[in-house]
Amino acid sequence: MRADILRIQAKQLQAGMTVAFHNSRMDYRLGYVNRTQNGMKLENEDRTRTEFVAPNDYVFIKRVMR
């Protein structure tokens, strides 16, 4: 497990956060978080990557180091 990630529920996601994966090359920065009746649509900043998640799903984000 990577030490630089946190597990949160998808309903806590906000634009500007970095969605993280086990392989750090797959990480991407959220540009848009659209909430719909069916769930949430996550898109990167240039809208070339899209994912759909339910609000209660767990996702990993990159921890902000201060």
Side-chain angles (χ1 to χ4, degrees):
M1 178 63 88
R2 291 173 48 184
D4 64 336
I5 60 175
L6 295 172
R7 181 179 160 208
I8 65 169
Q9 284 191 313
K11 61 186 167 189
Q12 297 173 302
L13 287 172
Q14 298 175 12
M17 291 180 166
T18 301
V19 177
F21 296 90
H22 180 69
N23 182 347
S24 62
R25 289 181 284 164
M26 295 178 64
D27 294 357
Y28 68 92
R29 187 176 170 102
L30 281 175
Y32 306 93
V33 178
N34 300 315
R35 289 162 174 81
T36 66
Q37 291 177 328
N38 300 329
M40 300 173 63
K41 181 179 178 184
L42 310 177
E43 296 179 292
N44 64 345
E45 293 173 329
D46 60 359
R47 295 185 183 219
T48 57
R49 183 171 184 165
T50 303
E51 291 190 54
F52 295 91
V53 295
N56 291 329
D57 286 349
Y58 284 95
V59 296
F60 291 101
I61 60 165
K62 193 164 184 176
R63 184 182 307 204
V64 178
M65 302 293 184
R66 295 178 188 200

